[in-house]
Amino acid sequence: KGSLVIVGSGINTTCHLTQEAIARIKSAEKVLYVVGDPIGKNVISRLNPEAESMASFYEPGKPRMTTYEQMIARMVECVVAGLRTCAVFYGHPGVFAYPTHEAIRRLRGQGYQARMLPGISAEDCLFADLGVDPAQHGCQSYEATQLALYRYKLDPTVALVVWQPGAFAQHTYSAEEYDLSRLPELLAYLSEFYPLEHEVCVYEASIFPECEPRADWIPLRRLVEVPLTSASTMYVPPVRRAVPDPAALERLGLPVATSP
Ligand code: SAM
């Protein structure tokens, strides 16, 4: 009977693939993958020469949701055909990745074995490269368009990660740079919580071994001027420290705040 395991290739496939993911890719009867860079593709194809890229489902102007449905359909099709299938998605396969969760949900609903293994996400790389510990101030993590759309309340005493600013307000795929003419809308929303002079970082983890990440620190107001790509993630440090609630300190029996 067919089954599905979804693994992550990490951001830098050569270095981030876990031993468990490598074993699953090698032993699968069918490998499907969504990994953008040529070195990553090469690594996967060497592990399993029959590996099939699903990147062709991305087409300029096609709604991203259509592409995701095609990926889900292809994963389900292979499993229903009786193949032990391994799907590889870049980063962590369950982080900002709708088709992976949905394929697992649908297959389990049909009685098939389907599971996900963790991988190294862009946010994991960000924590390492920018020296950010989410335990220190907490961490808010939002998709850029959803942030502006749903108007999630931000707490400027908490660190903030904004995903996909380089595809702001886009629901279709583009192989070129996206039209970011609506980016001022994101800036305007962020400026309701953060001063325009607050230093933020446009971050891109390196996808290749031995290469440095991009970490451009800029005042928030310059967000609309700097280049943003499909690999950009934005990091906004807290503006000020949170103050512990004296009554809570007493109730918890703590002498002072626990964060260093
Ligand atoms: N599953 C991926 C992960 O675990 O990191 C995330 C996929 S999400 C569809 C795409 C977004 O991830 C990008 O818009 C960007 O915010 C972030 N991202 C992808 N590659 C990145 C990189 N090399 N450096 C920083 N952020 C990256």
Side-chain angles (χ1 to χ4, degrees), residues 45-76:
S45 303
R46 275 211 305 250
L47 290 172
N48 192 317
E50 298 306 312
E52 171 188 321
S53 172
M54 292 198 284
S56 57
F57 290 137
Y58 285 112
E59 283 177 81
K62 188 197 270 186
R64 225 172 279 134
M65 216 47 206
T66 309
T67 298
Y68 293 160
E69 283 301 334
Q70 289 176 321
M71 289 176 178
I72 295 165
R74 183 72 187 120
M75 289 186 269
V76 169

mmCIF file of all heavy atoms in Angstrom, residues 45-76:
data_model
loop_
_atom_site.group_PDB
_atom_site.id
_atom_site.type_symbol
_atom_site.label_atom_id
_atom_site.label_comp_id
_atom_site.label_asym_id
_atom_site.label_seq_id
_atom_site.Cartn_x
_atom_site.Cartn_y
_atom_site.Cartn_z
ATOM 1 N N SER A 45 18.568 14.662 -6.640
ATOM 2 C CA SER A 45 18.614 13.737 -7.780
ATOM 3 C C SER A 45 19.708 12.687 -7.595
ATOM 4 O O SER A 45 19.573 11.564 -8.079
ATOM 5 C CB SER A 45 18.888 14.477 -9.084
ATOM 6 O OG SER A 45 17.919 15.454 -9.266
ATOM 7 N N ARG A 46 20.786 13.073 -6.921
ATOM 8 C CA ARG A 46 21.842 12.080 -6.691
ATOM 9 C C ARG A 46 21.399 11.041 -5.666
ATOM 10 O O ARG A 46 21.775 9.873 -5.744
ATOM 11 C CB ARG A 46 23.133 12.769 -6.234
ATOM 12 C CG ARG A 46 23.964 13.263 -7.430
ATOM 13 C CD ARG A 46 25.429 13.221 -7.120
ATOM 14 N NE ARG A 46 25.686 13.981 -5.907
ATOM 15 C CZ ARG A 46 26.331 15.139 -5.867
ATOM 16 N NH1 ARG A 46 26.817 15.648 -6.977
ATOM 17 N NH2 ARG A 46 26.514 15.765 -4.736
ATOM 18 N N LEU A 47 20.591 11.479 -4.694
ATOM 19 C CA LEU A 47 20.103 10.534 -3.679
ATOM 20 C C LEU A 47 19.080 9.575 -4.275
ATOM 21 O O LEU A 47 18.977 8.426 -3.877
ATOM 22 C CB LEU A 47 19.465 11.291 -2.503
ATOM 23 C CG LEU A 47 20.427 12.079 -1.615
ATOM 24 C CD1 LEU A 47 19.661 12.938 -0.614
ATOM 25 C CD2 LEU A 47 21.366 11.127 -0.875
ATOM 26 N N ASN A 48 18.299 10.087 -5.227
ATOM 27 C CA ASN A 48 17.290 9.241 -5.878
ATOM 28 C C ASN A 48 17.118 9.711 -7.324
ATOM 29 O O ASN A 48 16.422 10.704 -7.582
ATOM 30 C CB ASN A 48 15.971 9.310 -5.104
ATOM 31 C CG ASN A 48 15.007 8.236 -5.559
ATOM 32 O OD1 ASN A 48 14.873 7.988 -6.751
ATOM 33 N ND2 ASN A 48 14.360 7.594 -4.602
ATOM 34 N N PRO A 49 17.752 9.005 -8.264
ATOM 35 C CA PRO A 49 17.790 9.474 -9.659
ATOM 36 C C PRO A 49 16.410 9.638 -10.305
ATOM 37 O O PRO A 49 16.267 10.361 -11.282
ATOM 38 C CB PRO A 49 18.598 8.382 -10.380
ATOM 39 C CG PRO A 49 19.334 7.661 -9.301
ATOM 40 C CD PRO A 49 18.514 7.779 -8.057
ATOM 41 N N GLU A 50 15.399 8.974 -9.733
ATOM 42 C CA GLU A 50 14.049 9.083 -10.316
ATOM 43 C C GLU A 50 13.283 10.297 -9.800
ATOM 44 O O GLU A 50 12.116 10.487 -10.132
ATOM 45 C CB GLU A 50 13.236 7.818 -9.992
ATOM 46 C CG GLU A 50 13.807 6.539 -10.559
ATOM 47 C CD GLU A 50 14.046 6.643 -12.058
ATOM 48 O OE1 GLU A 50 13.126 7.091 -12.765
ATOM 49 O OE2 GLU A 50 15.156 6.305 -12.508
ATOM 50 N N ALA A 51 13.928 11.110 -8.947
ATOM 51 C CA ALA A 51 13.214 12.219 -8.308
ATOM 52 C C ALA A 51 12.594 13.157 -9.345
ATOM 53 O O ALA A 51 13.213 13.478 -10.354
ATOM 54 C CB ALA A 51 14.169 12.989 -7.399
ATOM 55 N N GLU A 52 11.349 13.550 -9.065
ATOM 56 C CA GLU A 52 10.582 14.377 -10.021
ATOM 57 C C GLU A 52 10.294 15.740 -9.402
ATOM 58 O O GLU A 52 9.725 15.831 -8.311
ATOM 59 C CB GLU A 52 9.263 13.633 -10.308
ATOM 60 C CG GLU A 52 8.242 14.406 -11.104
ATOM 61 C CD GLU A 52 6.911 13.650 -11.158
ATOM 62 O OE1 GLU A 52 6.896 12.398 -11.294
ATOM 63 O OE2 GLU A 52 5.871 14.312 -11.024
ATOM 64 N N SER A 53 10.702 16.792 -10.096
ATOM 65 C CA SER A 53 10.463 18.140 -9.585
ATOM 66 C C SER A 53 9.006 18.541 -9.800
ATOM 67 O O SER A 53 8.426 18.256 -10.846
ATOM 68 C CB SER A 53 11.377 19.136 -10.301
ATOM 69 O OG SER A 53 10.997 20.450 -9.935
ATOM 70 N N MET A 54 8.431 19.206 -8.819
ATOM 71 C CA MET A 54 7.071 19.740 -8.982
ATOM 72 C C MET A 54 7.119 21.237 -9.274
ATOM 73 O O MET A 54 6.086 21.905 -9.254
ATOM 74 C CB MET A 54 6.229 19.460 -7.727
ATOM 75 C CG MET A 54 5.934 17.986 -7.526
ATOM 76 S SD MET A 54 4.562 17.689 -6.389
ATOM 77 C CE MET A 54 5.333 18.019 -4.813
ATOM 78 N N ALA A 55 8.322 21.745 -9.541
ATOM 79 C CA ALA A 55 8.474 23.192 -9.785
ATOM 80 C C ALA A 55 7.716 23.637 -11.038
ATOM 81 O O ALA A 55 7.337 24.804 -11.151
ATOM 82 C CB ALA A 55 9.946 23.547 -9.901
ATOM 83 N N SER A 56 7.475 22.683 -11.975
ATOM 84 C CA SER A 56 6.789 23.061 -13.215
ATOM 85 C C SER A 56 5.336 23.479 -12.964
ATOM 86 O O SER A 56 4.692 24.069 -13.835
ATOM 87 C CB SER A 56 6.833 21.903 -14.214
ATOM 88 O OG SER A 56 6.261 20.779 -13.613
ATOM 89 N N PHE A 57 4.828 23.155 -11.766
ATOM 90 C CA PHE A 57 3.465 23.597 -11.446
ATOM 91 C C PHE A 57 3.403 25.113 -11.217
ATOM 92 O O PHE A 57 2.333 25.702 -11.225
ATOM 93 C CB PHE A 57 2.921 22.865 -10.214
ATOM 94 C CG PHE A 57 2.637 21.406 -10.452
ATOM 95 C CD1 PHE A 57 3.001 20.448 -9.521
ATOM 96 C CD2 PHE A 57 2.005 20.984 -11.611
ATOM 97 C CE1 PHE A 57 2.734 19.098 -9.729
ATOM 98 C CE2 PHE A 57 1.733 19.639 -11.839
ATOM 99 C CZ PHE A 57 2.104 18.687 -10.894
ATOM 100 N N TYR A 58 4.577 25.711 -10.931
ATOM 101 C CA TYR A 58 4.617 27.183 -10.821
ATOM 102 C C TYR A 58 4.656 27.757 -12.223
ATOM 103 O O TYR A 58 5.526 27.419 -13.013
ATOM 104 C CB TYR A 58 5.885 27.643 -10.093
ATOM 105 C CG TYR A 58 5.863 27.428 -8.609
ATOM 106 C CD1 TYR A 58 6.715 26.497 -8.025
ATOM 107 C CD2 TYR A 58 5.022 28.166 -7.777
ATOM 108 C CE1 TYR A 58 6.729 26.298 -6.638
ATOM 109 C CE2 TYR A 58 5.021 27.971 -6.401
ATOM 110 C CZ TYR A 58 5.875 27.037 -5.849
ATOM 111 O OH TYR A 58 5.883 26.844 -4.489
ATOM 112 N N GLU A 59 3.704 28.618 -12.541
ATOM 113 C CA GLU A 59 3.723 29.274 -13.858
ATOM 114 C C GLU A 59 3.361 30.737 -13.655
ATOM 115 O O GLU A 59 2.478 31.057 -12.851
ATOM 116 C CB GLU A 59 2.696 28.629 -14.790
ATOM 117 C CG GLU A 59 3.146 27.298 -15.349
ATOM 118 C CD GLU A 59 2.058 26.678 -16.208
ATOM 119 O OE1 GLU A 59 1.942 27.073 -17.381
ATOM 120 O OE2 GLU A 59 1.314 25.835 -15.688
ATOM 121 N N PRO A 60 4.050 31.613 -14.410
ATOM 122 C CA PRO A 60 3.770 33.040 -14.258
ATOM 123 C C PRO A 60 2.281 33.347 -14.428
ATOM 124 O O PRO A 60 1.649 32.851 -15.356
ATOM 125 C CB PRO A 60 4.592 33.680 -15.379
ATOM 126 C CG PRO A 60 5.685 32.694 -15.644
ATOM 127 C CD PRO A 60 5.110 31.345 -15.376
ATOM 128 N N GLY A 61 1.739 34.120 -13.493
ATOM 129 C CA GLY A 61 0.334 34.537 -13.586
ATOM 130 C C GLY A 61 -0.644 33.519 -13.045
ATOM 131 O O GLY A 61 -1.828 33.816 -12.894
ATOM 132 N N LYS A 62 -0.189 32.298 -12.745
ATOM 133 C CA LYS A 62 -1.113 31.275 -12.226
ATOM 134 C C LYS A 62 -1.342 31.515 -10.730
ATOM 135 O O LYS A 62 -0.375 31.737 -9.992
ATOM 136 C CB LYS A 62 -0.502 29.882 -12.429
ATOM 137 C CG LYS A 62 -1.443 28.730 -12.116
ATOM 138 C CD LYS A 62 -0.699 27.429 -11.935
ATOM 139 C CE LYS A 62 -0.529 26.644 -13.217
ATOM 140 N NZ LYS A 62 0.077 25.310 -12.960
ATOM 141 N N PRO A 63 -2.595 31.474 -10.273
ATOM 142 C CA PRO A 63 -2.832 31.640 -8.838
ATOM 143 C C PRO A 63 -2.058 30.584 -8.044
ATOM 144 O O PRO A 63 -2.033 29.415 -8.428
ATOM 145 C CB PRO A 63 -4.344 31.433 -8.694
ATOM 146 C CG PRO A 63 -4.900 31.715 -10.047
ATOM 147 C CD PRO A 63 -3.839 31.311 -11.032
ATOM 148 N N ARG A 64 -1.429 31.039 -6.971
ATOM 149 C CA ARG A 64 -0.612 30.112 -6.172
ATOM 150 C C ARG A 64 -1.457 28.938 -5.657
ATOM 151 O O ARG A 64 -0.988 27.815 -5.557
ATOM 152 C CB ARG A 64 0.018 30.878 -5.008
ATOM 153 C CG ARG A 64 1.482 30.532 -4.839
ATOM 154 C CD ARG A 64 2.160 31.409 -3.818
ATOM 155 N NE ARG A 64 2.540 32.689 -4.384
ATOM 156 C CZ ARG A 64 2.339 33.867 -3.809
ATOM 157 N NH1 ARG A 64 1.737 33.941 -2.651
ATOM 158 N NH2 ARG A 64 2.731 34.967 -4.381
ATOM 159 N N MET A 65 -2.734 29.211 -5.370
ATOM 160 C CA MET A 65 -3.606 28.157 -4.843
ATOM 161 C C MET A 65 -3.794 27.027 -5.863
ATOM 162 O O MET A 65 -3.898 25.858 -5.484
ATOM 163 C CB MET A 65 -4.944 28.794 -4.466
ATOM 164 C CG MET A 65 -5.581 28.220 -3.262
ATOM 165 S SD MET A 65 -4.458 28.040 -1.874
ATOM 166 C CE MET A 65 -5.267 26.721 -1.039
ATOM 167 N N THR A 66 -3.830 27.383 -7.157
ATOM 168 C CA THR A 66 -3.963 26.361 -8.207
ATOM 169 C C THR A 66 -2.718 25.473 -8.211
ATOM 170 O O THR A 66 -2.804 24.236 -8.295
ATOM 171 C CB THR A 66 -4.120 27.037 -9.596
ATOM 172 O OG1 THR A 66 -5.155 28.013 -9.502
ATOM 173 C CG2 THR A 66 -4.423 26.044 -10.688
ATOM 174 N N THR A 67 -1.553 26.113 -8.101
ATOM 175 C CA THR A 67 -0.291 25.362 -8.053
ATOM 176 C C THR A 67 -0.293 24.408 -6.861
ATOM 177 O O THR A 67 0.067 23.228 -6.987
ATOM 178 C CB THR A 67 0.892 26.360 -7.928
ATOM 179 O OG1 THR A 67 0.885 27.185 -9.077
ATOM 180 C CG2 THR A 67 2.223 25.648 -7.809
ATOM 181 N N TYR A 68 -0.731 24.910 -5.698
ATOM 182 C CA TYR A 68 -0.732 24.075 -4.500
ATOM 183 C C TYR A 68 -1.665 22.872 -4.680
ATOM 184 O O TYR A 68 -1.329 21.758 -4.291
ATOM 185 C CB TYR A 68 -1.177 24.886 -3.275
ATOM 186 C CG TYR A 68 -0.204 25.976 -2.874
ATOM 187 C CD1 TYR A 68 -0.606 27.045 -2.087
ATOM 188 C CD2 TYR A 68 1.133 25.930 -3.283
ATOM 189 C CE1 TYR A 68 0.286 28.037 -1.712
ATOM 190 C CE2 TYR A 68 2.021 26.922 -2.919
ATOM 191 C CZ TYR A 68 1.597 27.982 -2.141
ATOM 192 O OH TYR A 68 2.468 28.961 -1.776
ATOM 193 N N GLU A 69 -2.833 23.108 -5.290
ATOM 194 C CA GLU A 69 -3.775 21.998 -5.507
ATOM 195 C C GLU A 69 -3.156 20.947 -6.432
ATOM 196 O O GLU A 69 -3.353 19.750 -6.251
ATOM 197 C CB GLU A 69 -5.098 22.509 -6.102
ATOM 198 C CG GLU A 69 -6.012 23.182 -5.085
ATOM 199 C CD GLU A 69 -6.418 22.264 -3.916
ATOM 200 O OE1 GLU A 69 -6.441 21.028 -4.078
ATOM 201 O OE2 GLU A 69 -6.683 22.796 -2.830
ATOM 202 N N GLN A 70 -2.392 21.392 -7.441
ATOM 203 C CA GLN A 70 -1.748 20.450 -8.356
ATOM 204 C C GLN A 70 -0.683 19.626 -7.624
ATOM 205 O O GLN A 70 -0.533 18.431 -7.870
ATOM 206 C CB GLN A 70 -1.132 21.202 -9.540
ATOM 207 C CG GLN A 70 -2.203 21.755 -10.481
ATOM 208 C CD GLN A 70 -1.602 22.592 -11.602
ATOM 209 O OE1 GLN A 70 -0.660 23.350 -11.394
ATOM 210 N NE2 GLN A 70 -2.153 22.451 -12.797
ATOM 211 N N MET A 71 0.044 20.286 -6.723
ATOM 212 C CA MET A 71 1.060 19.549 -5.949
ATOM 213 C C MET A 71 0.392 18.495 -5.066
ATOM 214 O O MET A 71 0.849 17.354 -4.983
ATOM 215 C CB MET A 71 1.868 20.523 -5.078
ATOM 216 C CG MET A 71 2.798 21.402 -5.865
ATOM 217 S SD MET A 71 3.619 22.592 -4.766
ATOM 218 C CE MET A 71 4.658 23.430 -5.957
ATOM 219 N N ILE A 72 -0.694 18.911 -4.411
ATOM 220 C CA ILE A 72 -1.414 17.970 -3.534
ATOM 221 C C ILE A 72 -1.907 16.790 -4.372
ATOM 222 O O ILE A 72 -1.730 15.623 -3.999
ATOM 223 C CB ILE A 72 -2.612 18.666 -2.842
ATOM 224 C CG1 ILE A 72 -2.112 19.758 -1.902
ATOM 225 C CG2 ILE A 72 -3.474 17.667 -2.097
ATOM 226 C CD1 ILE A 72 -3.199 20.737 -1.437
ATOM 227 N N ALA A 73 -2.501 17.091 -5.524
ATOM 228 C CA ALA A 73 -3.054 16.037 -6.387
ATOM 229 C C ALA A 73 -1.960 15.059 -6.816
ATOM 230 O O ALA A 73 -2.167 13.842 -6.836
ATOM 231 C CB ALA A 73 -3.719 16.666 -7.610
ATOM 232 N N ARG A 74 -0.779 15.583 -7.131
ATOM 233 C CA ARG A 74 0.323 14.713 -7.587
ATOM 234 C C ARG A 74 0.807 13.808 -6.450
ATOM 235 O O ARG A 74 1.057 12.617 -6.658
ATOM 236 C CB ARG A 74 1.488 15.578 -8.121
ATOM 237 C CG ARG A 74 2.636 14.791 -8.686
ATOM 238 C CD ARG A 74 2.281 14.145 -10.029
ATOM 239 N NE ARG A 74 3.339 13.261 -10.482
ATOM 240 C CZ ARG A 74 3.173 11.956 -10.714
ATOM 241 N NH1 ARG A 74 1.993 11.375 -10.578
ATOM 242 N NH2 ARG A 74 4.190 11.217 -11.128
ATOM 243 N N MET A 75 0.910 14.368 -5.237
ATOM 244 C CA MET A 75 1.336 13.546 -4.088
ATOM 245 C C MET A 75 0.309 12.443 -3.825
ATOM 246 O O MET A 75 0.664 11.272 -3.654
ATOM 247 C CB MET A 75 1.528 14.433 -2.835
ATOM 248 C CG MET A 75 2.749 15.334 -2.906
ATOM 249 S SD MET A 75 3.067 16.243 -1.362
ATOM 250 C CE MET A 75 2.168 17.762 -1.617
ATOM 251 N N VAL A 76 -0.964 12.837 -3.819
ATOM 252 C CA VAL A 76 -2.040 11.875 -3.542
ATOM 253 C C VAL A 76 -2.061 10.793 -4.625
ATOM 254 O O VAL A 76 -2.175 9.590 -4.333
ATOM 255 C CB VAL A 76 -3.409 12.601 -3.453
ATOM 256 C CG1 VAL A 76 -4.562 11.610 -3.437
ATOM 257 C CG2 VAL A 76 -3.450 13.503 -2.210
#
